Amino acid sequence: MILIAVISLGAIGIVGALLLYVASKKFEVHEDPRIGQVQEVLPGANCGGCGYAGCAGFAGACVKADSLDGMLCPVGGAPVMAKIATILGKEASSAEPKVAVVRCNGTCAARPRTNKFDGVKSCAVASSLYGGETNCTFGCLGYGDCVKACSFDAIHINPETGLAEVDEDKCTACGACVKACPKNVIELRKKGPKSRRIFVSCVNKDKGAVARKACANACIGCGKCAKECPFGAITVENNVAYIDYNKCRMCRKCVAVCPTGAIHELNFPPRKEAAPKADVEKPVAPAEPVQAKPVENTATEVKKEEIKK
């Protein structure tokens, strides 16, 4: 009986092994070896900034794509994309580097607190419960969800202003902070030549008077910047202005006309102050010479008087 059981189990094992072997061959997936090569040159951050689920997903997409147009690893940048292009024998597309920008200027001084939140210090939690500790329901909450989401230590909360601030030298434009912000005040924008950027640091969609009452630095949607821009780069929609970085030519005319200072200019040289106009003195007309009356002789006058008499 024992021998029959052993033989039966051995037969079942052999049949199972054969079935597994046949199944593995039938459903075998051949992976392109270039996927592994591409994945090796990637930084391995798995940040998702490329739009794919980690570096492995991005490597597979690069191999399957006909061209690398629109493909970019935000962490590795152009050097990494050049290596990938060499491996795949494709041309690397040139893409301008981007950086995260916090579009909120509601500092503690400009946006006074009207209440205090005693719940979990999380922007997502606070945003789901109420508008925030100020009368502006659009601005940065300052609890640091973006800080926790950043894998590169590129964003922090300024304790004086209560706002998130981006360290552009560390930022890789992975977009993790953008996804983490429930108020959508963080945006990826072109880094710009010499890291110079101009943007509207406000997303308040309330009407001008309401927005200004809630925050002294808010955009009031007056449209002066849009009228001043000679390139059509500024649009005003839902009571807030927006600058299209693809059209902006960095002339900075919009910054000068903004009545609330909602438009920010970063990394520009200081403006040259206009020289004060000197008071031009009007030329004084020369005085007309006074002609002296001829003085007659006293003796002659006496004789004239005697003759009259």
Side-chain angles (χ1 to χ4, degrees):
M1 295 296 293
I2 296 175
L3 183 60
I4 294 173
V6 171
I7 294 172
S8 299
L9 290 175
I12 293 172
I14 293 171
V15 171
L18 290 173
L19 290 175
L20 289 174
Y21 177 77
V22 172
S24 65
K25 289 298 182 181
K26 184 175 182 179
F27 300 104
E28 183 179 5
V29 177
H30 295 278
E31 184 180 86
D32 194 322
R34 295 179 299 173
I35 295 178
Q37 296 175 8
V38 171
Q39 192 171 354
E40 288 180 1
V41 301
L42 291 173
N46 292 316
C47 60
C50 57
Y52 296 91
C55 294
F58 180 69
C62 289
V63 172
K64 294 176 183 178
D66 296 331
S67 67
L68 296 178
D69 293 338
M71 309 290 288
L72 176 66
C73 172
V75 180
V80 169
M81 293 308 299
K83 292 179 182 179
I84 295 175
T86 303
I87 294 172
L88 301 179
K90 302 175 182 178
E91 292 184 2
S93 58
S94 59
E96 293 189 36
K98 291 185 177 182
V99 66
V101 169
V102 180
R103 295 184 57 205
C104 179
N105 194 30
T107 60
C108 297
R111 187 175 50 146
R113 265 50 179 174
T114 57
N115 59 83
K116 185 177 180 180
F117 179 64
D118 292 329
V120 179
K121 299 301 181 181
S122 167
C123 299
V125 174
S127 178
S128 64
L129 295 176
Y130 79 133
E133 295 181 336
T134 69
N135 289 330
C136 176
T137 60
F138 297 90
C140 175
L141 294 172
Y143 296 129
D145 285 18
C146 53
V147 178
K148 298 173 184 176
C150 182
S151 303
F152 307 96
D153 193 35
I155 189 166
H156 300 91
I157 302 297
N158 188 320
E160 296 182 1
T161 62
L163 300 175
E165 294 182 353
V166 177
D167 185 345
E168 62 183 55
D169 294 330
K170 296 181 179 180
C171 180
T172 60
C174 67
C177 57
V178 178
K179 298 176 183 177
C181 180
K183 293 294 185 179
N184 297 319
V185 299
I186 306 179
E187 177 190 9
L188 293 181
R189 296 181 68 89
K190 286 185 179 179
K191 203 167 187 179
K194 298 181 180 179
S195 296
R196 296 174 181 175
R197 299 179 295 283
I198 299 175
F199 61 95
V200 179
S201 185
C202 182
V203 295
N204 194 324
K205 296 179 176 61
D206 287 331
K207 291 185 177 180
V210 179
R212 187 66 184 272
K213 186 176 181 180
C215 178
N217 296 334
C219 173
I220 57 177
C222 63
K224 290 183 178 180
C225 52
K227 295 177 182 178
E228 189 70 19
C229 180
F231 307 105
I234 305 177
T235 55
V236 179
E237 187 176 353
N238 293 328
N239 304 311
V240 63
Y242 181 78
I243 299 177
D244 186 348
Y245 53 76
N246 291 313
K247 296 180 180 179
C248 180
R249 295 296 179 269
M250 308 291 183
C251 67
R252 297 193 288 172
K253 292 182 178 180
C254 56
V255 181
V257 299
C258 181
T260 61
I263 303 179
H264 285 195
E265 51 181 348
L266 297 182
N267 303 321
F268 283 88
R271 293 175 179 269
K272 295 181 180 179
E273 297 183 1
K277 295 182 179 179
D279 295 333
V280 180
E281 297 182 358
K282 296 181 179 179
V284 180
E288 296 181 357
V290 180
Q291 295 181 354
K293 294 182 179 180
V295 181
E296 296 183 356
N297 192 355
T298 306
T300 306
E301 290 180 355
V302 173
K303 289 182 179 181
K304 287 182 179 180
E305 292 294 330
E306 291 179 353
I307 292 171
K308 290 179 179 178
K309 292 180 180 181

